[in-house]
Amino acid sequence: MLQALANTLPHFRHTNSGQFFLMAGPCVIEGEDMALRIAERIKHITDKLQIPYIFKGSYRKANRSRLDSFTGIGDETALRILQKVGREIGVPTVTDIHESSEAALAAEYVDVLQIPAFLCRQTDLLIAAAQTGKVVNVKKGQFLSGEAMKWAVDKIRQSGNPHVILTERGNSFGYSDLVVDFRNLPAMREFEVPVVMDVTHSLQRPNQSSGVTGGQPALIETIAKAAIAVGADGLFIETHPTPATALSDGANMLPLDQLEALLVKLTRVRQAIQASGEVVLNQLP
């Protein structure tokens, strides 16, 4: 599944390393210099660890609790920055789209179109994304089971696009929390698509009385290790040099200077699981 994905993405390296792939970057594009610095740093780390890497950055945040929340620096400005990151750093890029009319525009600048969790059932949006021919990453709705994502995959494939990724990001637990049901990962892998664990968004605490989403970043390593153990093909991690000053979702982001140590641990988990599997196979009659 990972090799099939690699065939559709420019600059997608290390696909034969046996490692998970990584989608990582800031929540939203805040400026060119920051985006390039984050992408360059992550690429340096992932090249060293032979982890295939896709740079993530939203060109606009459409789902905000408060009207005065930061939404972006301008659509085409941010999209051009994403394009520059892809060209100068040499990595594939991914960004969210929110309406059908945005699909063709965003597809001119990035390699992967991402469907936000709240919009994963929007048929017109899925079809528009599929018709661009780009890889489509659909986040599973907080209100759905992994099995229910079959229909999102079908809509994209039946629109003529076989390039689908599914991403788990937790399920609503009461009004102001999320919980991860790891059964969803193997359930979604049954559709023969790469499955990603959105580590940081699954640790959000939405619907806070302040109108600003909270989070539990101390559990990032726990969720990431569990996802690798369960067999996730990829991880999605939002990261920022200083999450406290990030203009969006800082409460659940990983500080950039902690990313390398985390990825080192996760590659060891992956290698240990692969080694144990090989031992079991070698012992079979």
Side-chain angles (χ1 to χ4, degrees):
M1 289 187 289
L2 188 56
Q3 189 57 53
L5 180 62
N7 293 338
T8 69
L9 293 176
H11 317 304
F12 201 52
R13 302 179 180 88
H14 311 305
T15 52
N16 295 319
S17 67
Q19 285 298 340
F20 54 89
F21 69 95
L22 178 69
M23 307 172 87
C27 178
V28 64
I29 298 299
E30 299 178 7
E32 181 178 304
D33 181 64
M34 179 176 288
L36 288 167
R37 284 191 292 114
I38 292 173
E40 185 175 30
R41 177 61 184 152
I42 300 175
K43 181 177 181 294
H44 174 75
I45 296 168
T46 53
D47 278 352
K48 184 163 57 173
L49 298 175
Q50 294 193 308
I51 296 172
Y53 172 48
I54 303 172
F55 175 81
K56 182 271 168 185
S58 297
Y59 73 89
R60 171 161 47 90
K61 302 303 293 184
N63 175 25
R64 304 286 86 185
S65 296
R66 288 168 34 171
L67 189 60
D68 62 353
S69 295
F70 177 78
T71 58
I73 60 175
D75 291 0
E76 291 204 30
T77 299
L79 285 167
R80 289 193 189 101
I81 291 171
L82 283 160
Q83 185 180 59
K84 188 171 184 176
V85 167
R87 289 176 175 174
E88 292 198 3
I89 307 301
V91 293
T93 54
V94 56
T95 198
D96 314 75
I97 59 173
H98 318 91
E99 298 181 13
S100 303
S101 59
E102 298 175 24
L105 172 64
E108 294 179 19
Y109 297 91
V110 300
D111 306 294
V112 182
L113 299 179
Q114 183 165 282
I115 308 300
F118 284 130
L119 302 177
C120 68
R121 286 171 52 93
Q122 296 297 102
T123 300
D124 289 348
L125 180 60
L126 292 170
I127 291 173
Q131 289 176 341
T132 68
K134 298 288 185 176
V135 176
V136 182
N137 178 34
V138 188
K139 288 196 173 184
K140 182 185 71 62
Q142 300 92 325
F143 42 86
L144 291 176
S145 67
E147 289 85 353
M149 291 302 290
K150 175 186 187 306
W151 312 113
V153 174
D154 286 351
K155 289 174 184 177
I156 294 167
R157 285 176 170 164
Q158 290 169 16
S159 299
N161 188 338
H163 309 307
V164 189
I165 302 171
L166 291 179
T167 295
E168 165 65 32
R169 53 99 72 238
N171 282 84
S172 296
F173 185 68
Y175 293 114
S176 301
D177 207 352
L178 297 167
V179 65
V180 178
D181 181 350
F182 284 98
R183 294 176 299 177
N184 286 326
L185 275 68
M188 293 192 294
R189 290 196 86 204
E190 289 294 314
F191 311 136
E192 298 185 344
V193 299
V195 172
V196 174
M197 181 72 229
D198 183 342
V199 178
T200 47
H201 282 102
S202 69
L203 291 168
Q204 283 183 332
R205 286 189 159 174
N207 306 320
Q208 301 298 306
S209 58
S210 64
V212 177
T213 296
Q216 294 178 291
L219 293 174
I220 287 173
E221 182 175 326
T222 299
I223 296 296
K225 284 180 175 177
I228 295 301
V230 171
D233 299 291
L235 298 177
F236 181 108
I237 298 175
E238 287 189 340
T239 182
H240 191 281
T242 54
T245 65
L247 299 179
S248 177
D249 279 3
N252 53 270
M253 281 202 279
L254 180 73
L256 184 58
D257 63 6
Q258 296 179 18
L259 180 63
E260 182 170 1
L262 173 64
L263 292 178
V264 167
K265 292 178 182 178
L266 297 176
T267 58
R268 290 172 179 167
V269 172
R270 177 77 164 206
Q271 289 163 354
I273 291 171
Q274 290 175 329
S276 65
E278 290 171 3
V279 168
V280 170
L281 288 174
N282 291 335
Q283 292 176 344
L284 292 176

